[in-house]
Amino acid sequence: MWAPDSWRQKSALQQPDYADPAEVERVLADLHTLPPLVTSWEILRLRDQLAEAADGRQFVLQAGDCAERFVDCTPVRITNTLKVLLQMSLVLVIGARPVIRIGRFAGQYAKPRSANLETRDAVSLPSYRGDNINRPEFTAEARRPDPQLLLRGYERASVTLNFVRALVKGGFADLHHPEYFDLDWVKDSPLADEYHRMVQTIKDSLQFVENVLGVRAGDTDKIDFFTAHEALHLGYEAVQTRRVPRRPGYFNLLTHFPWVGLRTNDSEGAHIEYVRGIENPVGIKVGAGCTREQVARWLEILDPDRRPGRLTFIHRFGAGKIADSLPPLIEHVRAEGGKPVWICDPMHGNTHSLANGIKTRNFEDIYSEVEQSFDIHAEQKQQLGGVHVELTGENVTECVGGSRGPGEADLARAYESEVDPRLNYEQSMELAFLIARKMKSGAH
Ligand code: PEP
Ligand code: CO
């Protein structure tokens, strides 16, 4: 029997090791009394839209920070994130599909880590696991998992979402005018002429705006920004998992679209048990080497009725591996009668460290994985349903490449991410242009 806390019967990986479990329970009890962050009708609207993405009639742009930081919960940062998402979605619509915008925000505060401990100069401390759990500074005090941070995270998720909703309602979407795009970088691209033509298309055609927003121009306060985060800290996720009046089932009311990460996607583990019972659409990250049995178990557990929009596979192989890894995965899913949304995460299979220890990703690898995804899905007579990207609206230097992007020697200049390297504003826009061009060029 499923219940919001039935996951406790299973093995839960990647959970913080709190010194005082009673304090955690007190915090969770407190959180349980608060109003939720999202509503069941928003969640069901997203599920309906994802059903269309599974059919190739909409395209998902899921994007934002790898790890949101509490210090970045500022008006400027939030506005810039919305701006880049909105502008990318406008560019993407040239690919001729309406775009579903899902932010990795308002709750992306818990991170899975490969190692429990981090060692520097012979000192080992617990790894940083996201601002909901502990703090990044390398001191014993900062790295101690602190349950109170869950309350701080909930409050920040709430003020973030409040500001997002206010901006959207207040006509922020007027930023859809390409005059607001910062396109200086375009002149450094060999595709500059083509990009300018694409921008002109957006300018000339109100229809595009209406398509992308899914509403009539002038009615832009109705555009949707959905939220997503990794459902990692299960005590936290379960605390706002509720029944609502007049609708069957339980909803995770912390976010519209929770996903299960690669490290916790074991079909017999606690994370899959938790998402099994909620009505939200759910994502599952998949990497190389999935067997037919694994795929069958995920489908049987998470989507026994094959409900449209319920399940999304977010594949993340790496540009060098996708050609071998994606086709068998598609075949297994098909053989089991699954019809998920297929989203390409071109970030997490393409991370590497430089000799000085800095983690980075190459823009070229990132686009290559997306491009190969389009082609492989098309060869299999289906469609890539979206992309999942780590990015920021700021001018950071974390990933290398792109028309005017940083080289390896520039990375130290504005490297902020505590976890994974993100595309900056220009690299994100360039990726959107390349994707739109790709979608337009073929039967994608
Ligand atoms: C992430 O999305 O930040 C992440 C950790 O991804 P994955 O689970 O695919 O490694
Ligand atoms: Co990441």
Side-chain angles (χ1 to χ4, degrees), residues 75-315:
V76 171
R77 293 271 173 158
I78 295 168
T79 310
N80 284 346
T81 303
L82 278 201
K83 176 175 151 183
V84 70
L85 282 178
L86 186 67
Q87 293 185 355
M88 287 174 81
S89 68
L90 271 169
V91 171
L92 286 173
V93 91
I94 299 175
R97 276 190 253 168
V99 174
I100 306 168
R101 285 161 301 277
I102 307 177
R104 275 178 73 117
F105 58 46
Q108 177 55 13
Y109 291 128
K111 299 303 300 175
R113 301 313 302 256
S114 312
N116 282 331
L117 293 177
E118 180 182 343
T119 303
R120 292 190 200 172
D121 299 329
V123 178
S124 292
L125 293 175
S127 295
Y128 169 63
R129 291 186 171 274
D131 280 7
N132 255 4
I133 315 300
N134 56 3
R135 287 179 286 119
E137 302 90 79
F138 195 72
T139 65
E141 173 51 22
R143 293 296 175 88
R144 181 181 61 85
D146 176 1
Q148 299 298 328
L149 294 173
L150 295 170
L151 279 165
R152 301 288 86 80
Y154 191 79
E155 289 156 4
R156 276 179 171 73
S158 164
V159 295
T160 300
L161 202 48
N162 181 58
F163 192 49
V164 168
R165 293 187 195 280
L167 286 171
V168 170
K169 186 107 190 103
F172 165 86
D174 280 347
L175 279 174
H176 67 245
H177 294 295
E179 302 79 279
Y180 293 104
F181 289 20
D182 301 327
L183 293 173
D184 251 17
W185 58 271
V186 167
K187 64 180 180 316
D188 296 314
S189 162
L191 299 174
D193 290 346
E194 205 171 331
Y195 291 158
H196 281 302
R197 277 199 299 279
M198 289 163 85
V199 173
Q200 200 53 46
T201 309
I202 302 171
K203 278 189 177 152
D204 290 348
S205 175
L206 204 60
Q207 189 66 50
F208 272 115
V209 176
E210 295 188 359
N211 282 349
V212 69
L213 300 178
V215 293
R216 303 182 57 75
D219 223 3
T220 47
D221 60 335
K222 302 228 174 52
I223 78 167
D224 289 319
F225 278 92
F226 296 103
T227 66
H229 65 244
E230 178 171 349
L232 186 67
H233 186 306
L234 292 174
Y236 182 73
E237 298 299 324
V239 93
Q240 281 285 350
T241 299
R242 302 178 181 281
R243 289 185 178 283
V244 300
R246 290 179 293 282
R247 283 200 174 90
Y250 282 85
F251 291 81
N252 177 333
L253 298 174
L254 290 176
T255 190
H256 303 109
F257 185 47
W259 80 83
V260 177
L262 187 81
R263 291 167 191 74
T264 51
N265 71 10
D266 177 359
S267 57
E268 312 314 309
H271 290 79
I272 295 294
E273 170 62 18
Y274 167 70
V275 293
R276 171 170 85 88
I278 56 177
E279 294 297 316
N280 305 57
V282 298
I284 167 162
K285 293 278 202 106
V286 286
C290 281
T291 62
R292 166 119 183 226
E293 287 67 40
Q294 263 175 314
V295 168
R297 284 294 287 152
W298 281 327
L299 286 166
E300 178 187 322
I301 296 171
L302 295 177
D303 190 20
D305 305 327
R306 309 293 191 259
R307 280 184 298 174
R310 158 69 175 168
L311 191 60
T312 296
F313 280 107
I314 306 169
H315 52 74

Side-chain angles (χ1 to χ4, degrees), residues 66 104 111 348 390 420:
C66 177
R104 275 178 73 117
K111 299 303 300 175
H348 289 89
E390 289 182 345
D420 289 336

